[in-house]
Amino acid sequence: MFTFSQVGLIDAPIEKVFAVVSDFSKIQEWRNDVPRITQISGATAIGTTFLEEVNFMGKKQLLMKVVDFVPNKKLVIEAQSGMDLLPTQSFIFSPEGNKTRIDLTVLMRVSGVFKLMQFMLPAQLKKTWTKYFINLNDLVSK
């Protein structure tokens, strides 16, 4: 298991940023390695689930579940199953002037072959999330 943190500063109001991040049908619009989201169980709330297809060493499907939800403040999504890397993504949203700061913390449960690669994954994933935040900024600041 390992944890990493990343900060994104998004050039849009918190309500707009939160609306996009918490709308799971929009994930593939700002996360390039997620080609498809399916089986969204309902409106975003604690307990909502969805399948997230990822391209990470081949195609995988993660069953994701919302475990904490405070509109315009906090969203925590936990992977339930699907691969040997199971993230819990905690997004904290706060206003910073007319922009939105996102403090992301990811707790990654690791098993199988990924245990051998665990030491190099945090740096790689931080770079990936930097790109995601750039994409998110481009999407919401239009």
Side-chain angles (χ1 to χ4, degrees):
M1 185 173 350
F2 65 88
T3 302
F4 71 91
S5 297
Q6 188 72 7
V7 174
L9 191 58
I10 310 300
D11 192 18
I14 200 165
E15 296 81 8
K16 187 173 186 181
V17 176
F18 190 86
V20 169
V21 174
S22 64
D23 181 349
F24 305 127
S25 69
K26 294 188 182 296
I27 288 174
Q28 64 268 28
E29 294 180 37
W30 58 280
R31 290 183 50 203
N32 353 19
D33 64 345
V34 179
R36 202 160 57 131
I37 299 292
T38 60
Q39 299 182 28
I40 300 171
S41 66
T44 304
I46 293 173
T48 301
T49 60
F50 60 95
L51 287 178
E52 178 178 298
E53 187 177 291
V54 294
N55 289 326
F56 186 81
M57 298 181 77
K59 284 190 179 180
K60 312 275 189 298
Q61 273 199 334
L62 295 170
L63 173 61
M64 306 297 283
K65 180 179 182 180
V66 176
V67 296
D68 200 354
F69 178 76
V70 180
N72 298 323
K73 294 188 187 307
K74 185 177 188 180
L75 176 64
V76 181
I77 307 165
E78 180 179 83
Q80 305 296 299
S81 62
M83 64 184 287
D84 290 340
L85 290 174
L86 295 174
T88 299
Q89 303 163 344
S90 177
F91 300 87
I92 305 295
F93 299 80
S94 56
E96 199 159 292
N98 59 356
K99 298 181 181 193
T100 301
R101 178 184 169 113
I102 302 174
D103 289 280
L104 169 71
T105 302
V106 177
L107 171 69
M108 188 72 75
R109 291 172 285 151
V110 182
S111 60
V113 70
F114 290 108
K115 281 192 169 193
L116 300 172
M117 300 168 35
Q118 184 169 303
F119 71 95
M120 62 186 210
L121 290 172
Q124 178 185 352
L125 292 169
K126 281 181 71 99
K127 287 179 187 174
T128 299
W129 276 96
T130 296
K131 291 176 189 170
Y132 292 164
F133 285 145
I134 291 168
N135 295 344
L136 179 61
N137 187 70
D138 292 344
L139 179 64
V140 299
S141 64
K142 290 179 181 175

